[in-house]
Amino acid sequence: MELKEIEINPKMAQEMLNYNTCNRPLSKNIVTKYARMMKRDEWYLSHQAIAFAENESGQLVLVDGQHRLEAVIQSGISVKFSVIYNAVQTPYIDTARNRTFIDNLNIYNKTSRYTKTMMGILNLITSINKIKNITQTDRQQFCDYYYEIFLSVDNIYKTSKTKSGGCPLKTALFLAINENRNKTNLKEKLENYMYIFNTGNVSVDDDYGDYVKEMRDHYYLQNREFNKIYSSNSASLRRKKLTSIFLYSIECYINNRKYIASFDMEDRLLKKIEKQYGKIKK
């Protein structure tokens, strides 16, 4: 195999794509994401090469790199790449597990500060609000901006030893903590909320605890209801609805309001996500 370091401009990228005859279907979202990174000077030369091989007829074939080359064209700028010629096609190497963006953040920054909780919450937030073309820099900025909030979520969730709720509950805690971070009794309120959610036990002097228990029962009913949905978007629908229910009930409890199931819960959720995600995009 022959390795070269080449600065590829849009014209060269188009010429290379003429040999693209055996790749998987192109993802426009990935191309747009890569192009955005290139325009923001966030694309770096690496060992991950654009690769060419020869087919049985001796003709040149692009076997790896179509999305990167399309991104060069879309960005309109020149980008430096490692390029391999006479590549050996080995489709079965390293297919068991891809690195997550959290893996990459920790490796790149030589740290372990980025956690699975961050990944789960950010993935759910971007999925619910249909935020696309998220770059690695976007993700790191989000995780760094809300780092202390993520730690609070992990601490409250682990302390409560809950095994229910999962990522929707963690995401609701994240949004609620950030929105109400100036409340003096926030930590105590959230710990009480999680205790009631976990056990169903309500203290006699907790006027609003019964509403949390009400929501808890509603959650389990909803959980069974959503499990009956077998359409392709059932998982996404379920996670969005559960996050909405949790967020609304948490805010009712910490603000001493009565919990009444509301039709605008999902709209409130979307507005909060848009507001909080928008803070780091300004």
Side-chain angles (χ1 to χ4, degrees):
M1 291 188 288
E2 180 185 0
L3 175 65
K4 293 183 178 181
E5 185 179 306
I6 301 175
E7 186 167 316
I8 300 175
N9 60 38
K11 182 179 178 182
M12 294 169 62
Q14 185 60 66
E15 291 172 353
M16 289 178 170
L17 283 167
N18 291 333
Y19 301 100
N20 185 29
T21 59
C22 64
N23 268 297
R24 57 187 167 172
L26 190 75
S27 168
K28 292 182 179 180
N29 286 337
I30 291 177
V31 172
T32 299
K33 173 184 171 182
Y34 288 174
R36 185 177 170 211
M37 292 173 69
M38 291 171 185
K39 286 190 283 189
R40 289 168 56 172
D41 199 26
E42 295 171 3
W43 193 274
Y44 304 99
L45 178 68
S46 75
H47 65 284
Q48 294 177 299
I50 291 171
F52 293 90
E54 289 186 358
N55 62 19
E56 294 176 354
S57 303
Q59 296 173 318
L60 200 63
V61 176
L62 175 69
V63 295
D64 196 356
Q66 63 166 339
H67 288 88
R68 285 167 283 174
L69 293 172
E70 289 283 359
V72 169
I73 296 171
Q74 184 171 314
S75 70
I77 60 177
S78 300
V79 180
K80 192 172 288 187
F81 291 97
S82 300
V83 180
I84 288 178
Y85 292 94
N86 303 315
V88 177
Q89 298 188 58
T90 51
Y92 305 114
I93 293 178
D94 197 21
T95 60
R97 179 181 178 272
N98 292 327
R99 287 177 181 169
T100 66
F101 78 81
I102 289 295
D103 293 332
N104 287 328
L105 284 180
N106 283 325
I107 291 169
Y108 181 76
N109 292 284
K110 298 178 181 178
T111 183
S112 58
R113 76 193 300 259
Y114 301 103
T115 67
K116 289 182 179 180
T117 294
M118 296 178 180
M119 179 175 70
I121 291 175
L122 180 53
N123 283 345
L124 183 52
I125 283 175
T126 54
S127 171
I128 289 174
N129 221 34
K130 298 180 180 179
I131 302 169
K132 298 180 179 179
N133 305 322
I134 308 299
T135 68
Q136 193 76 333
T137 299
D138 294 332
R139 294 187 178 105
Q140 182 169 344
Q141 286 176 346
F142 188 90
C143 292
D144 289 343
Y145 188 90
Y146 292 112
Y147 185 70
E148 297 299 326
I149 309 295
F150 282 118
L151 292 184
S152 297
V153 171
D154 262 335
N155 183 55
I156 290 170
Y157 198 83
K158 289 175 181 176
T159 300
S160 70
K161 298 181 181 178
T162 185
K163 295 182 179 179
S164 302
C167 193
L169 179 54
K170 288 183 178 180
T171 302
L173 284 169
F174 171 84
L175 295 168
I177 291 171
N178 192 50
E179 191 79 10
N180 300 274
R181 63 172 72 185
N182 295 324
K183 289 189 178 296
T184 55
N185 63 341
L186 180 62
K187 184 174 182 291
E188 180 184 354
K189 274 284 194 179
L190 289 173
E191 287 175 348
N192 289 341
Y193 176 93
M194 292 298 289
Y195 173 77
I196 299 169
F197 177 81
N198 241 348
T199 66
N201 297 328
V202 182
S203 171
V204 292
D205 60 349
D206 190 345
D207 295 334
Y208 294 90
D210 284 327
Y211 301 125
V212 178
K213 186 176 185 305
E214 217 173 276
M215 180 283 307
R216 178 179 183 265
D217 296 338
H218 181 59
Y219 157 63
Y220 286 116
L221 288 173
Q222 289 290 335
N223 201 11
R224 288 196 293 271
E225 181 182 326
F226 291 142
N227 279 334
K228 295 176 183 177
I229 301 174
Y230 294 103
S231 61
S232 60
N233 65 343
S234 61
S236 174
L237 174 66
R238 176 184 168 193
R239 282 151 60 93
K240 179 180 178 180
K241 285 187 176 294
L242 288 177
T243 306
S244 303
I245 293 169
F246 291 146
L247 179 61
Y248 182 65
S249 66
I250 290 171
E251 294 203 322
C252 285
Y253 185 68
I254 63 180
N255 291 297
N256 299 324
R257 295 198 308 265
K258 182 177 179 181
Y259 172 83
I260 303 175
S262 170
F263 289 111
D264 69 344
M265 284 191 292
E266 289 184 35
D267 289 336
R268 292 160 62 90
L269 170 68
L270 294 177
K271 287 177 182 177
K272 289 184 184 297
I273 289 176
E274 186 177 353
K275 176 182 176 182
Q276 294 185 23
Y277 187 80
K279 286 181 180 178
I280 66 163
K281 300 302 291 180
K282 292 179 179 178

